[in-house]
Amino acid sequence: MTVVTCIEDLRVLAQRRVPRMFYDYADSGSWSESTYRANGADLEAIKFRQRVAVDMDGRTLRTTMLGEPVAMPVALAPVGLTGMQRGDGEILAARAAEKFGVPFTLSTMSICSIEDVAASVTKPFWFQLYVMRDRDFVGRLIDRAKAARCSALVLTLDLQILGQRHKDLKNGLSTPPKLTLANIANMATKPRWCWAMLQTRRREFGNIVGHVAGIDDMSSLSEWTARQFDPKLSWDDVAWIKDRWGGKLVLKGIMDAEDAHRAVASGADALIVSNHGGRQLDGTPSTAAALPAIVDAVGDRMTVLADGGVRSGLDVARMLALGAKGVLIGRAWAYALSASGEAGVAHVLRLIEEEMRVAMALTGCTRVRDISREMLVRSS
Ligand code: GLV
């Protein structure tokens, strides 16, 4: 029995338990994966100022994110295809997040649909939107998220075309997987995964299949994205989407201070400093490197959240210290889900919480709002 003490343990288990094409999908960055690696490496290089003899009694991680009370300032990022990491994966993760008291974000490219997830939880979750060429479909997706009482719409701005992930092409990524000899042989070595998949009928993109006329072949994800995602997406679209949605709007994928100013001007409620986990433009700086300038550009005009490379509670504390008001984890929960389903996602949240408690104690912070750049060793 493996004792899981860190997110790396969950990654190793995920690799063992999930068919190669789905593990690789979650684990890959685009092209040389330099940005993917930089996200983790730059965070890890940030050093804390250790402070001692500060009364650490009564520490709490409780705070708010987008006005909602949360157990800690961490949300589950939208991750595509998580219902292929484990049967009904999005439902399991949403339940774990709800029980823990942090927001769950459902991806447009999920397997379980908005309605499936809404029927499985009692509190609102966040919905992530990709903008397709078919604007009627996008409008209907927004309406469905509204009808499901989603509490925030997370509009992703950095994936109108797909950064190439070599392994997805080599593996022939598709959902459901094609029943080739190689795939069958690989799946046969993953009994837990097969068992969970046999318990569910959800194996296609639940938000899309059956909701768009003429969408029958989604077998090649990269080709499908190239055909359906709208390369014309612009700031004007942000305006109509904001109008149609009418609720809290979060803009995901901001890496540049000029775009942060545009985001403020759009009237959205928050932005997420994100390079899509190093999955899009390989060669961008890490999010840890980009975050401080964006926080400074935005000031208190908008909430700044961040993601990218977060593999521990210490990394969450680092992002908060750089100025983020909340942090999204992506691969961390995807690995946990692949490793152990709902219990895995609950476990990863507990690991992060515990590490944050220790980080706060030894840097002399008792509340999330005490966390600031003062907590970090200055680099020059
Ligand atoms: C988005 O859906 C991705 O694959 O990064």
Side-chain angles (χ1 to χ4, degrees), residues 25 80 109 130 159 162 165 276 279:
Y25 169 73
M109 304 305 284
Y130 278 130
L159 197 143
L162 198 68
R165 299 103 192 229
H276 217 103
R279 298 162 69 78

Side-chain angles (χ1 to χ4, degrees), residues 17-19 22 81-95 111-112 116 175 190-204 333-334 337-342 345:
R17 292 181 176 169
V18 168
F22 298 118
L81 286 168
T82 39
M84 278 287 137
Q85 302 294 351
R86 166 73 64 133
D88 290 340
E90 292 90 2
I91 290 176
L92 301 178
R95 283 192 183 138
I111 304 297
C112 301
D116 289 337
T175 185
K190 318 289 177 193
R192 280 168 207 264
W193 181 88
C194 291
W195 176 250
M197 277 301 161
L198 288 171
Q199 313 302 306
T200 182
R201 288 165 51 192
R202 301 183 182 104
R203 298 187 197 111
E204 295 178 319
W333 77 261
L337 177 73
S338 310
S340 309
E342 182 177 336
V345 179

Side-chain angles (χ1 to χ4, degrees), residues 178-376:
K178 294 235 154 61
L179 293 178
T180 59
L181 271 182
N183 285 345
I184 293 170
N186 186 242
M187 288 190 273
T189 63
K190 318 289 177 193
R192 280 168 207 264
W193 181 88
C194 291
W195 176 250
M197 277 301 161
L198 288 171
Q199 313 302 306
T200 182
R201 288 165 51 192
R202 301 183 182 104
R203 298 187 197 111
E204 295 178 319
F205 289 108
N207 291 325
I208 296 164
V209 174
H211 294 273
V212 194
I215 299 284
D216 39 9
D217 182 17
M218 297 188 55
S219 52
S220 160
L221 191 66
S222 48
E223 268 175 41
W224 191 84
T225 314
R227 272 190 288 126
Q228 302 299 328
F229 282 38
D230 193 347
K232 294 206 190 90
L233 177 70
S234 74
W235 288 101
D236 292 340
D237 294 303
V238 175
W240 77 256
I241 289 168
K242 181 174 183 298
D243 249 29
R244 174 104 177 209
W245 167 245
K248 285 190 185 135
L249 180 66
V250 183
L251 303 180
K252 178 168 180 281
I254 305 295
M255 284 293 289
D256 189 277
E258 278 182 34
D259 285 342
H261 287 300
R262 303 290 302 258
V264 171
S266 78
D269 299 273
L271 63 81
I272 306 177
V273 175
S274 175
N275 52 32
H276 217 103
R279 298 162 69 78
Q280 283 296 93
L281 181 59
D282 186 36
T284 64
S286 68
T287 47
L291 178 57
I294 292 177
V295 168
D296 293 344
V298 165
D300 55 12
R301 294 179 297 159
M302 187 180 210
T303 301
V304 176
L305 309 174
D307 70 13
V310 174
R311 297 292 181 276
S312 68
L314 299 183
D315 290 342
V316 173
R318 288 173 168 124
M319 285 289 204
L320 297 177
L322 293 175
K325 290 284 176 262
V327 175
L328 287 90
I329 55 167
R331 292 184 182 90
W333 77 261
Y335 296 149
L337 177 73
S338 310
S340 309
E342 182 177 336
V345 179
H347 192 67
V348 84
L349 292 170
R350 283 194 302 272
L351 285 175
I352 287 177
E353 179 185 39
E354 198 41 44
E355 288 167 353
M356 272 190 77
R357 278 188 193 290
V358 174
M360 285 171 69
L362 295 174
T363 52
C365 299
T366 51
R367 290 176 190 277
V368 171
R369 65 166 181 266
D370 300 337
I371 299 177
S372 73
R373 288 185 202 168
E374 286 302 303
M375 183 185 187
L376 304 177

